[in-house]
Amino acid sequence: MFAMRASAADEAPAAAAPAPAPSGPPAPTGPFTLPELGYAYDALEPAIDTATMQLHHKRHHQAYINNANVALKDHPSLHALTAEQMLRDFKKVPGTIAVAVRNNVGGHANHSLFWDILTPGGPKEPTGSFKGAIERDFTNFGSMVVKLNQECMTRFGSGWAWLCVYNKKLSVYSTANQDSPLMDGATPILGIDVWEHAYYLKYQNRRADYVKAILGLINWDKVGERYKQAMG
Ligand code: MN3
């Protein structure tokens, strides 16, 4: 499966997004669109390779968006909501599309956050009030990173590890599949994608090496901004 996806990406790295279903109509164009990365596909080399970034952004993330737009096509009243609002207020989502929204709007929100908090050679440690909150809730930055790493490593199968604000405090946990902490009333400020599609091309089964590489790419200034926003 992975070899097939990789070779498709190699042959046509700039190809349009795949259709949402094998014989279905083209995906509707809204309400969600693929956000641009704030950096080039090769900017995170060698930690995260260009092919993985292209595949992950242009194919995987785009597929979540296409599927979300298909699910929401006949529900225009939901189109005014952001992905984050829809997940936080999940009870507004009709039962008939709840699974599709959970997986695909979740996938869209999770990946949008993920791209935003990565940076090549960025600030390596939190500062200011965010640093103080980490020390209050985890003793120190190193302990928080150890816990985050544990969540990445112990999440069985596909999912995400998170640093969240919940009840004005920082907490680290993980979710399965594309489940968002927003559905639990928590605000994610840092997410690490531990689906195999995030690392298999370069790291194969070595999730630990991938997580170590990702932890070296976190833009702690961005995470700090998200912390302040979440605190209101
Ligand atoms: Mn992913």
Side-chain angles (χ1 to χ4, degrees):
M1 185 170 86
F2 288 104
M4 201 174 77
R5 283 185 180 166
S7 82
D10 290 339
E11 284 159 21
S23 57
T29 52
F32 299 122
T33 53
L34 187 66
E36 287 195 22
L37 294 178
Y39 38 82
Y41 284 113
D42 64 359
L44 306 180
E45 290 269 12
I48 306 297
D49 58 293
T50 306
T52 295
M53 286 301 293
Q54 290 185 337
L55 194 64
H56 202 173
H57 182 251
K58 288 194 282 201
R59 301 298 184 93
H60 288 278
H61 189 169
Q62 183 70 60
Y64 292 117
I65 289 167
N66 292 352
N67 290 335
N69 288 341
V70 167
L72 292 163
K73 188 165 71 75
D74 298 327
H75 302 271
S77 65
L78 296 174
H79 290 197
L81 299 178
T82 64
E84 290 74 16
Q85 287 167 337
M86 210 176 289
L87 295 164
R88 198 183 280 287
D89 225 351
F90 197 65
K91 61 183 183 301
K92 281 188 182 163
V93 177
T96 49
I97 59 166
V99 172
V101 167
R102 180 178 186 163
N103 289 338
N104 295 293
V105 177
H108 173 39
N110 295 343
H111 287 88
S112 299
L113 168 63
F114 187 53
W115 310 133
D116 186 55
I117 52 98
L118 298 179
T119 185
K124 293 304 171 209
E125 289 207 11
T127 55
S129 63
F130 177 43
K131 179 174 190 252
I134 288 171
E135 290 168 353
R136 180 194 64 203
D137 296 333
F138 299 96
T139 311
N140 56 51
F141 176 60
S143 313
M144 189 273 285
V145 170
V146 166
K147 282 198 166 178
L148 192 58
N149 190 63
Q150 278 168 355
E151 291 295 336
C152 289
M153 295 309 297
T154 55
R155 167 49 53 190
F156 181 76
S158 297
W160 290 75
W162 304 102
L163 176 63
C164 292
V165 176
Y166 183 72
N167 285 341
K168 304 277 179 192
K169 289 191 124 187
L170 289 166
S171 62
V172 160
Y173 79 125
S174 73
T175 58
N177 305 315
Q178 294 296 349
D179 286 357
S180 166
L182 293 164
M183 293 174 65
D184 302 327
T187 303
I189 60 173
L190 183 167
I192 298 179
D193 188 345
V194 295
W195 283 58
E196 283 187 343
H197 70 223
Y199 61 88
Y200 209 87
L201 286 183
K202 181 180 171 86
Y203 294 99
Q204 291 83 47
N205 60 325
R206 302 189 308 279
R207 187 186 284 191
D209 293 348
Y210 157 72
V211 171
K212 190 177 168 197
I214 281 286
L215 285 169
L217 295 171
I218 304 293
N219 185 340
W220 290 105
D221 284 353
K222 278 272 178 77
V223 182
E225 283 168 26
R226 286 176 175 271
Y227 169 74
K228 281 178 200 151
Q229 237 175 6
M231 291 297 286

